[in-house]
Amino acid sequence: QVQLVESGGGLVQAGGSLRLSCAASGRAFSSYTMGWFRQAPGKEREFVAAISRSGTGSTYAQSVKGRFTISTDNAQNTVALQMNSLTPEDTAVYYCSASDRNYATKSSEYRYWGQGTQVTVSS
């Protein structure tokens, strides 16, 4: 069992940056692939980024590649998502998640979810 709590969302202008953080408690953090997903109003939840259990490998959705960076601090049990060059299309609720499967990219592969944090990008 693991509990996830996101923070760092907010309102930012297009072209700006935000850093989301997710604090995990419970089972050893390094046991999971950690991922970020997002859901915009009226749309399905979509994969954003994931980082491997070891923290040495990551994968990104094409729409955020080169702009977003996922990272972990296993000592602090946190995972972060640095978001740069934000556009209004990035507006969504962002969710932190944990999976038992390495390099998981599908929401169905993630067992644990945070409550989400709102990111709004104005034009």
Side-chain angles (χ1 to χ4, degrees):
Q1 187 81 11
V2 63
Q3 293 77 43
L4 304 171
V5 179
E6 303 96 336
S7 62
L11 173 65
V12 64
Q13 289 188 331
S17 299
L18 278 176
R19 185 177 178 85
L20 305 183
S21 184
C22 174
S25 60
R27 184 178 163 188
F29 186 74
S30 59
S31 300
Y32 299 99
T33 290
M34 300 302 298
W36 286 95
F37 286 75
R38 66 186 183 186
Q39 188 167 18
K43 295 186 177 181
E44 293 187 354
R45 189 170 299 188
E46 65 173 356
F47 170 76
V48 175
I51 190 164
S52 66
R53 295 168 185 168
S54 65
T56 58
S58 58
T59 185
Y60 298 89
Q62 190 63 37
S63 59
V64 307
K65 195 173 292 185
R67 300 188 297 123
F68 291 11
T69 303
I70 188 171
S71 60
T72 57
D73 183 338
N74 285 348
Q76 298 294 325
N77 273 14
T78 58
V79 56
L81 184 69
Q82 177 66 42
M83 306 185 295
N84 299 328
S85 302
L86 287 162
T87 74
E89 288 68 36
D90 295 315
T91 295
V93 177
Y94 283 71
Y95 297 90
C96 175
S97 54
S99 173
D100 295 318
R101 298 189 178 186
N102 214 7
Y103 290 107
T105 61
K106 299 177 181 178
S107 60
S108 59
E109 297 176 314
Y110 284 79
R111 185 187 306 185
Y112 304 107
W113 295 85
Q115 293 299 307
T117 185
Q118 177 71 47
V119 171
T120 303
V121 185
S122 63
S123 57

